[in-house]
Amino acid sequence: QVQVVESGGGLVQPGGSLRLSCAVFGSRLSIYVMGWYRQAPGKQRELVALITSGGSTNYADSVKGRFTISRDNAGNTAYLQMNSLKPEDTAVYYCNVVQWTTNLAYWGQGTQVTVSS
């Protein structure tokens, strides 16, 4: 079975930075897209950023210029560098990956990001 594991969340002051990691385990097939989503209390889950196996990226307008998504050369780990954090960035952040050929999607358990002074 495929496991998706996020790490790197925590408490940070406004203007600070965090780097989230998403590691994929147990897939014998390539992952062709990886994305970060977030969900705040009372809000729907929203896409933050995604990256394809070809390196194409897409960002929510609210995080452009502040967040950067990247992927290692092996294609099994994604990162989300978050700079200039704002209180409205507070949410549970989830990693989602889509597996090559099967087109199956897998979610991580989520990691809490809290931005507060």
Side-chain angles (χ1 to χ4, degrees):
Q1 65 182 50
V2 177
Q3 292 185 339
V4 180
V5 181
E6 305 102 328
S7 62
L11 175 64
V12 65
Q13 293 184 347
S17 298
L18 285 173
R19 191 189 193 208
L20 306 183
S21 297
C22 172
V24 181
F25 302 93
S27 178
R28 70 179 188 89
L29 301 174
S30 298
I31 303 297
Y32 70 89
V33 61
M34 307 180 77
W36 286 98
Y37 295 73
R38 67 186 182 187
Q39 187 167 23
K43 301 290 186 179
Q44 293 185 351
R45 190 171 298 185
E46 64 175 348
L47 176 68
V48 177
L50 63 82
I51 186 167
T52 70
S53 60
S56 297
T57 58
N58 193 29
Y59 297 91
D61 189 65
S62 60
V63 306
K64 287 180 179 177
R66 299 189 298 120
F67 291 10
T68 302
I69 189 169
S70 60
R71 188 171 179 174
D72 68 4
N73 291 333
N76 57 8
T77 306
Y79 305 93
L80 186 67
Q81 179 66 47
M82 305 185 293
N83 298 325
S84 302
L85 283 161
K86 304 174 181 179
E88 49 263 46
D89 295 317
T90 296
V92 178
Y93 284 70
Y94 298 90
C95 183
N96 178 259
V97 307
V98 182
Q99 189 180 49
W100 186 266
T101 302
T102 68
N103 293 314
L104 293 174
Y106 299 90
W107 290 94
Q109 79 288 346
T111 185
Q112 176 71 48
V113 173
T114 302
V115 185
S116 176
S117 59

